[in-house]
Amino acid sequence: MARTRRPVVAGALSLMASGSVSRVIGAVYRIALVRTAGEEVLGLFQMTMPLYRLLIDVAAIGFHVALVQLVADSLGRRRVDDAKGYIRFALVTVTALSCLLATLLWFTGPTLAHTLYGDPRLETPLRCLGLLLLPAAICAIVRGSIQGWGHVSTVAIAGTTEAALRVPAVLVMLSLFLPWGQGPAATAILLGMVVGEFGSLVVLGTRLRSLLHSTSSQKGVLLSLRYGSTLLAIGLPVMISGLLNNAMGLINTAMIPKQLLISGLSQSEATAAFGTLSGMVTPILFMPLVLVGPISQVMIPAVAERMAQNQWEKVKQLLIKGFSVAVVVSAVTSVVFWFFPEQLGQILYGAPHIADLVRPLAFAAPFVFCGLLAASTLYGLGRMGTVMVNTFVGNTARFLIILKLVSDSHWGILGAAWALVADTGLTGALNLISLALVLRRMRAGQ
């Protein structure tokens, strides 16, 4: 088998172009969503997302990240049978586990709505999370496999397809479900997302099937436990990281509305305030990822393959280029957040009143974008546990600040915004420090 060629710059540009289209679609989608459903429905929907992310972590077992590294490494060593073995084992395992979790969620959704959130309007949305979980978990595995293969253009096309299908599906579902109440309206958003995930799965699955059939194997690829043990060795730290941090995210999400009630807001006001922060303000922070995110996605397999071939100088060149882009994006973003928050709120949502929540994001932006590249590089170097610890420390800081500030009427939802800044800032800083230490040790060991 010929050595796999990874056009890193071309791949990043492909993802960037696709991401730009998806971000434009997403911006229009969020504007329509806020103005159609309202902040309270958006708040209900956002309350379900931490639980969804927690369950995705359980269903994927970290295999989606492990596959990027293992497939890239296997192809770099010209071991195509191993690459196929990892993919097959991951697909079978994750599909079975996703079906089990979706079934459990259907029966436990009402209990979770009352005990965890204290809001009966979430009964149906939580039940329907399972419908989203199944295609999303499989998509993650297929996406990781294709990224490991180096065909990021397919990932880009799948992302655009998902956004293009999700937006009209959500808006149509909302028009049907909104007259039935806020809970059904939140369910409509989830069902629209299911449509998008299935569209993405069709694109990704078609491409993966083509890749698997286009490469010759020396022998039949069996469902070997050897592949499972290797996947688990890399994937388990990723899963544990996701579980710990998304559990903290779930606690934070459930806690913010309750703390806002203590501050004096009604349940409706608390839900709307949470919807403003999580559904309007937080996405603004991550919008510039259209420029940095593609680099982070190609960084994992590129670093893994180059390290497998002992190409240390090429790894350094990748890091210099990637962080140069991240620094420039961070500087521009911070200036916009600090000096033009009212204009940003007005342009995106017709809501200049969110300016006080947007302005603190100026301090978070550099750590979000540079820290993301640092985390991706650490993943490519096999340091999943380091990223896990760093993210957990950040989430813990967020929890403590929410606990201290949000119940105070002088802070309220603004306290939650500063908690977000502390979380992302601390996590990003720790990832950057960790990467610097790892690279120093690697250089000293040469």
Side-chain angles (χ1 to χ4, degrees):
M1 175 183 158
R3 178 183 176 275
T4 303
R5 179 176 178 270
R6 290 184 190 281
V8 176
V9 175
L13 290 176
S14 175
L15 285 172
M16 198 174 295
S18 169
S20 298
V21 175
S22 298
R23 293 286 177 179
V24 171
I25 296 173
V28 174
Y29 162 70
R30 287 201 170 273
I31 293 169
L33 193 60
V34 170
R35 299 186 180 187
T36 302
E39 296 176 1
E40 194 168 355
V41 170
L42 194 58
L44 288 172
F45 162 71
Q46 290 294 339
M47 286 181 190
T48 67
M49 286 295 97
L51 178 60
Y52 165 68
R53 288 189 287 268
L54 183 70
L55 292 174
I56 278 286
D57 285 325
V58 176
I61 330 176
F63 286 179
H64 58 302
V65 176
L67 280 170
V68 179
Q69 180 182 350
L70 291 173
V71 171
D73 182 82
S74 297
L75 296 177
R77 299 176 189 272
R78 298 180 175 85
R79 296 176 179 173
V80 65
D81 287 326
D82 286 342
K84 291 183 177 182
Y86 291 128
I87 293 169
R88 176 172 294 185
F89 189 94
L91 280 173
V92 172
T93 304
V94 170
T95 299
L97 190 53
S98 298
C99 291
L100 175 62
L101 290 174
T103 302
L104 290 174
L105 193 56
W106 178 263
F107 291 105
T108 61
T111 302
L112 290 172
H114 289 274
T115 58
L116 182 61
Y117 297 98
D119 195 331
R121 294 175 295 178
L122 288 170
E123 288 185 13
T124 305
L126 290 176
R127 276 187 160 183
C128 291
L129 273 183
L131 300 176
L132 178 61
L133 178 67
L134 180 59
I138 299 173
C139 256
I141 297 302
V142 179
R143 188 183 300 112
S145 303
I146 292 174
Q147 281 184 254
W149 219 287
H151 291 263
V152 294
S153 59
T154 303
V155 177
I157 295 170
T160 303
T161 301
E162 188 277 332
L165 291 175
R166 167 173 44 88
V167 173
V170 167
L171 296 178
V172 169
M173 294 284 186
L174 269 176
S175 67
L176 296 174
F177 284 68
L178 193 55
W180 296 92
Q182 294 167 334
T187 305
I189 301 175
L190 290 171
L191 294 178
M193 292 176 66
V194 173
V195 175
E197 288 293 339
F198 271 111
S200 178
L201 183 56
V202 169
V203 174
L204 292 170
T206 301
R207 183 54 172 165
L208 181 60
R209 182 181 178 85
S210 174
L211 288 172
L212 294 176
H213 285 287
S214 66
T215 51
S216 59
S217 298
Q218 297 178 359
K219 55 186 177 180
V221 180
L222 302 176
L223 194 64
S224 171
L225 291 178
R226 173 172 68 88
Y227 297 120
S229 61
T230 307
L231 281 164
L232 286 171
I234 298 176
L236 276 179
V238 177
M239 185 190 74
I240 294 171
S241 172
L243 287 177
L244 289 174
N245 294 302
N246 283 317
M248 289 297 298
L250 180 60
I251 293 170
N252 291 339
T253 296
M255 187 170 62
I256 289 175
K258 294 177 181 178
Q259 294 293 97
L260 289 172
L261 290 175
I262 296 173
S263 73
L265 298 184
S266 66
Q267 185 174 51
S268 179
E269 291 171 333
T271 304
F274 178 79
T276 300
L277 176 64
S278 59
M280 298 168 65
V281 175
T282 302
I284 291 177
L285 174 61
F286 297 107
M287 281 181 180
L289 282 181
V290 67
L291 301 174
V292 181
I295 300 173
S296 72
Q297 290 186 52
V298 300
M299 192 75 78
I300 299 175
V303 169
E305 183 183 10
R306 282 157 177 76
M307 290 306 297
Q309 298 169 354
N310 294 317
Q311 296 177 336
W312 170 241
E313 288 299 322
K314 290 188 177 181
V315 171
K316 289 198 296 185
Q317 292 173 10
L318 281 177
L319 295 179
I320 291 172
K321 292 177 182 178
F323 279 101
S324 296
V325 174
V327 168
V328 172
V329 173
S330 299
V332 174
T333 302
S334 292
V335 169
V336 173
F337 286 166
W338 185 260
F339 290 103
F340 307 103
E342 294 92 350
Q343 293 87 336
L344 204 56
Q346 178 62 41
I347 291 171
L348 292 177
Y349 307 115
H353 63 276
I354 68 173
D356 289 341
L357 299 178
V358 172
R359 187 171 281 111
L361 302 183
F363 297 98
F367 297 101
V368 169
F369 306 132
C370 294
L372 176 64
L373 288 188
S376 295
T377 306
L378 289 167
Y379 276 136
L381 295 172
R383 305 298 178 117
M384 285 76 174
T386 301
V387 179
M388 174 190 74
V389 173
N390 295 342
T391 308
F392 184 73
V393 171
N395 267 320
T396 302
R398 186 175 186 175
F399 169 80
L400 294 174
I401 293 174
I402 289 172
L403 194 63
K404 178 68 176 177
L405 296 183
V406 177
S407 61
D408 187 335
S409 59
H410 294 292
W411 286 95
I413 197 63
L414 180 60
W418 278 107
L420 170 65
V421 172
D423 178 0
T424 54
L426 183 56
T427 301
L430 290 174
N431 283 334
L432 288 166
I433 294 170
S434 299
L435 178 60
L437 293 174
V438 169
L439 294 178
R440 179 181 297 178
R441 285 196 294 268
M442 292 177 62
R443 187 174 182 179
Q446 283 189 314

